[in-house]
Amino acid sequence: MPPTKRPGTRYLEVRLAGAAVRRAGRAVLREITWTIRPGQRWVLVGANGAGKTQLLKLVAAIVWPAPAAGAVRSYRLGRESASSAAGFREQIAYLGAERQDKYQRRGWDMSAQRVVGTGLYRTDIPLDELSGADRRRVLRILNSLGSAALAQRPFLSLSYGQRRVILLARALAARPRLLLLDEILNGLDAANRRRVLGWLGRVRRLPWVLATHRLEDVPVNASHALVLERGRIVYAGAMRGAPLAAWLGGRRRTPHQAPRRRAARAGRSLVRLANARVFLAERAVLSGLTLTVRTGDWWVVHGPNGAGKTTLLRTLYGDHGVAAGGVVERAGIEPGVPLEQFRRRVGLIAPHLHADHPRRLTVAEVVQSGRHASIGLNESPSAADRAAARRALAAFGLSRLARRPLGELSYGQLRRVLFARAWVREPELLLLDEPFAGLDAPTRRTLLERVRAQAARAAAVVVTTHRRGEFNHCATHELELVAGRARYCGPARPGAAPGVRR
């Protein structure tokens, strides 16, 4: 249907009525009726797999609604309205984890400034050099988000949280008429979270939708809330009266939470760094770092975005080398012994694994690959591989997803798959990089208990986090990183502050 002339505003209004979405023959959204109007600021909540990402993609015209009698998806901008997304799609900025993974998967390593510049022209990669006016606009946007210092850095050299802020700047560069933000606060340190929440708090007429799993990430100026449960809307209306606390879980503690763990008698050394320096893209990311991880240790590693937390975990795992003058020692690894022998005793969970695993792989294949510390399988799985994977899938409540390809999973479901992959060999060392990002409150509590149970078997844990309070009663040791150096390295200190509150 061609656009019709109607009075309106310069921001976009989207209306859904009776809409549904199906993927691989399964209904993921049912009877969705929702209108987003200019000036409204929506918070979108629901459990992992409830359909939040698919709902945002439906609004953004990235996925198509299933044919249904009387179903409506219509758009209105200014004096024009239409039942087709044609002509309106480019007015919507959608930012989710898939965009970030895309750069990792395809190796797009242009400067942060050029990434933001692609938003000006709504392209994936730069087609031309940025003009002086373009560069000035990009720097203004980066400055508004406190990230102008990153402008010339290669995108893939940035931390996970820094990349997220750059991609938000890219979305803003497109001058959207509707902004859809899918868990964008994941991986941000306290300063960046304040900046992003502050920016959202200053927005008045631009309508936005923010999906989140945490009550403390709800912007104070949010006007409306929508709650999804198993693909259906169970609440859509004003923030006043919205059942957010029930769905986001607040700060509930597990009923049997134990007192703070005390460091046990020194266990066997699993991995040791001494005066370690690590360079990425000819830039020192870690400098002069010394620590030893022993059986029974629980290390909490924290610090601002770009401090080197992910690089530390990947160095312990063996993805990055240590420069001359430094030492890295791993239990059982001597000259002539392949590093894979160590990796098979390690459970790794990290954001880059979301992008590294091909989306065509099934859940079962990904979990089986954990037996070999590989991405995918180089040969057919053995009977032992299949049996171990079935046990891990059952332990994490994933058996019904075993045959699903990764491309059909939500971000939270995929994170649980990575937990099962990490557990498939009962690891003696767990390296967990922001392991609970993108997970709903019940899943976070369940998985924390899984980690605690593995630690009780004398496994060592090294976890990076921007929410130290989640591990107050687990940690035995603490490492605070700032600009690649240890500001503090020793026994866990009491009174670690939880994440930023509303």
Side-chain angles (χ1 to χ4, degrees):
M1 179 183 296
T4 58
K5 300 291 185 179
R6 296 177 59 185
T9 74
R10 65 191 183 96
Y11 293 107
L12 194 61
E13 176 179 302
V14 181
R15 177 173 172 258
L16 304 173
V21 171
R22 300 183 67 83
R23 298 190 70 192
R26 297 179 299 104
V28 294
L29 293 174
R30 303 173 178 85
E31 298 179 5
I32 299 295
T33 296
W34 182 30
T35 300
I36 307 170
R37 294 187 171 89
Q40 292 182 342
R41 301 171 296 277
W42 287 83
V43 173
L44 173 60
V45 304
N48 293 132
K52 300 184 298 299
T53 294
Q54 295 306 308
L55 178 55
L56 293 177
K57 289 183 174 181
L58 177 63
V59 171
I62 297 171
V63 301
W64 290 94
V72 172
R73 180 174 65 172
S74 64
Y75 298 82
R76 178 185 175 194
L77 179 62
R79 296 180 178 275
E80 294 187 348
S81 63
S83 58
S84 167
F88 297 100
R89 186 180 289 110
E90 289 191 347
Q91 307 300 325
I92 302 172
Y94 166 70
L95 175 56
E98 288 179 15
R99 161 64 58 175
Q100 191 156 335
D101 291 346
K102 192 173 186 179
Y103 287 82
Q104 178 82 30
R105 188 176 293 115
R106 300 191 178 184
W108 290 343
D109 199 20
M110 63 206 83
S111 71
Q113 178 177 262
R114 300 202 79 192
V115 170
V116 178
T118 63
L120 297 173
Y121 302 99
R122 301 182 176 94
T123 62
D124 277 342
I125 59 176
L127 302 180
D128 295 296
E129 292 294 326
L130 295 175
S131 68
D134 289 342
R135 288 194 295 272
R136 288 190 293 274
R137 174 163 173 74
V138 165
L139 288 174
R140 283 197 299 271
I141 296 171
L142 287 172
N143 190 59
S144 72
L145 296 173
S147 297
L150 303 178
Q152 300 305 321
R153 291 271 304 277
F155 183 76
L156 296 182
S157 76
L158 303 178
S159 73
Y160 185 86
Q162 288 172 330
R163 295 181 195 183
R164 182 136 297 194
V165 175
I166 295 302
L167 292 179
L168 175 59
R170 177 187 180 275
L172 300 181
R175 294 184 175 91
R177 310 300 179 92
L178 171 62
L179 187 59
L180 307 176
L181 304 173
D182 195 357
E183 294 278 358
I184 64 154
L185 297 170
N186 284 347
L188 299 190
D189 60 25
N192 276 320
R193 288 174 67 218
R194 282 195 298 270
R195 292 188 190 105
V196 173
L197 288 170
W199 185 89
L200 290 172
R202 294 190 295 273
V203 171
R204 291 294 177 262
R205 294 301 300 164
L206 171 66
W208 51 256
V209 183
L210 171 69
T212 183
H213 283 297
R214 294 181 181 269
L215 192 60
E216 61 267 30
D217 286 348
V218 175
V220 293
N221 70 326
S223 62
H224 292 73
L226 185 145
V227 181
L228 274 180
E229 183 178 16
R230 297 181 181 180
R232 296 182 184 273
I233 295 175
V234 296
Y235 179 88
M239 281 293 293
R240 181 179 298 175
L244 294 188
W247 285 89
L248 296 180
R251 297 191 177 279
R252 191 178 114 193
R253 297 172 62 184
T254 52
H256 52 289
Q257 195 169 57
R260 178 185 295 275
R261 289 187 66 194
R262 294 185 177 182
R265 185 179 306 168
R268 176 171 56 91
S269 174
L270 296 175
V271 59
R272 183 177 79 91
L273 298 178
N275 192 33
R277 294 181 301 148
V278 177
F279 289 80
L280 300 178
E282 300 182 354
R283 176 176 171 271
V285 182
L286 296 176
S287 300
L289 198 59
T290 296
L291 81 160
T292 302
V293 180
R294 301 176 182 276
T295 54
D297 287 354
W298 187 313
W299 284 84
V300 171
V301 182
H302 59 95
N305 290 135
K309 301 182 297 297
T310 294
T311 299
L312 169 62
L313 260 64
R314 297 191 69 171
T315 300
L316 296 176
Y317 187 65
D319 286 342
H320 303 316
V322 171
V327 172
V328 56
E329 296 175 348
R330 300 180 180 89
I333 302 303
E334 300 174 352
V337 178
L339 184 60
E340 283 68 24
Q341 293 296 326
F342 173 78
R343 288 176 168 171
R344 289 175 182 175
R345 307 198 305 272
V346 178
L348 174 67
I349 296 172
H352 71 87
L353 292 176
H354 287 251
D356 289 351
H357 287 283
R359 294 166 62 81
R360 68 178 183 278
L361 292 181
T362 66
V363 168
E365 289 170 333
V366 172
V367 176
Q368 290 162 5
S369 74
R371 295 262 298 172
H372 305 277
S374 61
I375 301 299
L377 294 168
N378 296 323
E379 54 189 38
S380 297
S382 67
D385 292 338
R386 290 192 293 269
R390 284 194 296 271
R391 290 193 296 271
L393 289 168
F396 287 89
L398 295 167
S399 297
R400 64 184 179 85
L401 302 180
R403 297 187 178 182
R404 294 254 194 99
L406 297 189
E408 294 182 12
L409 304 185
S410 72
Y411 186 90
Q413 289 172 327
L414 178 52
R415 181 53 61 96
R416 288 167 53 209
V417 171
L418 294 182
F419 266 87
R421 178 182 182 271
W423 254 251
V424 75
R425 269 191 175 270
E426 293 290 322
E428 63 180 8
L429 172 61
L430 292 171
L431 301 177
L432 311 177
D433 192 0
E434 289 282 349
F436 301 148
L439 298 179
D440 57 45
T443 302
R444 293 197 301 269
R445 289 192 288 267
T446 298
L447 292 180
L448 178 58
E449 286 308 305
R450 287 279 180 190
V451 179
R452 289 169 63 95
Q454 193 68 16
R457 300 186 183 101
V461 178
V462 184
V463 57
T464 71
T465 184
H466 290 296
R467 303 173 188 271
R468 295 162 60 197
E470 289 186 326
F471 305 100
N472 268 352
H473 297 272
C474 308
T476 61
H477 296 76
E478 176 184 350
L479 172 63
E480 181 180 4
L481 282 175
V482 177
R485 295 182 177 275
R487 175 175 286 180
Y488 175 83
C489 183
R493 298 170 293 186
V500 175
R501 292 182 173 85
R502 284 186 63 196

